[in-house]
Amino acid sequence: MKNALVHFKERRKMILHQRAIHERLRNNIISNANELKNIKISGESSRVGRGQTHDNTKIAFDKMLHGYRSIMDDMITKQQMEADALAAVQTLENDCSAPSVQVSFPFPDIFDHARQIFYSS
């Protein structure tokens, strides 16, 4: 039978690991929005293919956001399963109900922020 402090440390370790993954995803979204914005700007500054570059970068941006939203949804589902599994193991170890950590993405406005980056001049 493990004590409550050990279980607390296990949950804390899982939470910190999940937070790091969330921050990495946020940083990737921002980085890709900036990269696509720079491609769009460089295409607009050249005379040839100005409209085509803008259309292509907008399509790429929309696909990027859709892909990251899908990744985020899958990640949250997986992390919630991990949290529930940890709670189940801790419940079995102590013969009493252990709390399950509720997982959520801590940066709910990241997709709006990415749009602001991409569409700003």
Side-chain angles (χ1 to χ4, degrees):
M1 182 169 171
K2 289 185 179 179
N3 68 29
L5 182 59
V6 172
H7 284 174
F8 172 78
K9 287 181 179 181
E10 289 173 344
R11 286 191 301 274
R12 181 170 160 68
K13 180 181 177 183
M14 180 191 64
I15 290 167
L16 291 174
H17 176 73
Q18 290 178 349
R19 174 67 184 222
I21 292 170
H22 295 169
E23 288 176 1
R24 206 169 321 136
L25 179 64
R26 178 197 60 191
N27 293 342
N28 286 345
I29 292 169
I30 290 171
S31 174
N32 281 309
N34 279 315
E35 185 177 321
L36 287 170
K37 175 187 173 182
N38 290 336
I39 291 169
K40 179 182 75 165
I41 290 170
S42 69
E44 288 172 352
S45 66
S46 72
R47 288 187 187 139
V48 181
R50 190 177 301 175
Q52 185 177 7
T53 300
H54 183 269
D55 291 345
N56 289 342
T57 55
K58 183 175 179 339
I59 291 168
F61 178 75
D62 291 340
K63 285 182 180 180
M64 184 262 310
L65 282 187
H66 179 74
Y68 277 124
R69 188 169 297 279
S70 178
I71 289 169
M72 183 191 71
D73 291 342
D74 291 345
M75 177 184 66
I76 296 297
T77 300
K78 177 182 178 266
Q79 290 176 343
Q80 189 61 59
M81 288 189 298
E82 290 171 351
D84 293 343
L86 179 61
V89 167
Q90 291 179 345
T91 296
L92 289 174
E93 289 175 346
N94 276 353
D95 292 329
C96 65
S97 182
S100 179
V101 174
Q102 293 303 308
V103 179
S104 63
F105 192 67
F107 310 107
D109 297 333
I110 189 61
F111 296 101
D112 291 334
H113 183 63
R115 282 185 193 89
Q116 288 173 345
I117 290 170
F118 181 75
Y119 290 109
S120 68
S121 294

